[in-house]
Amino acid sequence: MYVCSCFGITDKQVKEHAAAGACTPRQIASATKAGTDCGSCVRTIQGILGRGACPRRELLEKGDAAAVLAAAPTTAPAPQLVEAA
């Protein structure tokens, strides 16, 4: 089922990102863009995420920020701009 029709994001994709550690709609938006255009899917994403346990949040509450940072998904480096001669 499509959750975000603006970007074609399905509930399966949201669940996969949640399983990978995304605990909030904002984290889902960072990974998929869902919820960043019209915003009508944000409540659906909240419903899918639920109020269950969030491993990253639990680590932060225990004061283990290093583990959270180590588990954070890495982003690709920004492309280098080359000056034209």
Side-chain angles (χ1 to χ4, degrees):
M1 166 183 89
Y2 282 102
V3 172
C4 176
S5 58
C6 296
F7 295 104
I9 305 302
T10 64
D11 58 334
K12 181 180 177 185
Q13 290 171 297
V14 171
K15 290 174 186 176
E16 287 170 355
H17 285 288
C23 302
T24 65
R26 186 171 291 185
Q27 291 170 338
I28 296 293
S30 293
T32 66
K33 292 180 141 185
T36 62
D37 195 26
C38 77
S40 66
C41 61
V42 174
R43 289 193 184 262
T44 303
I45 293 169
Q46 287 173 329
I48 292 170
L49 296 175
R51 296 185 181 237
C54 176
R56 294 173 76 186
R57 188 178 308 121
E58 290 171 3
L59 288 172
L60 281 173
E61 288 172 356
K62 291 179 183 177
D64 197 356
V68 173
L69 292 173
T74 58
T75 58
Q80 298 296 319
L81 298 177
V82 179
E83 279 190 40

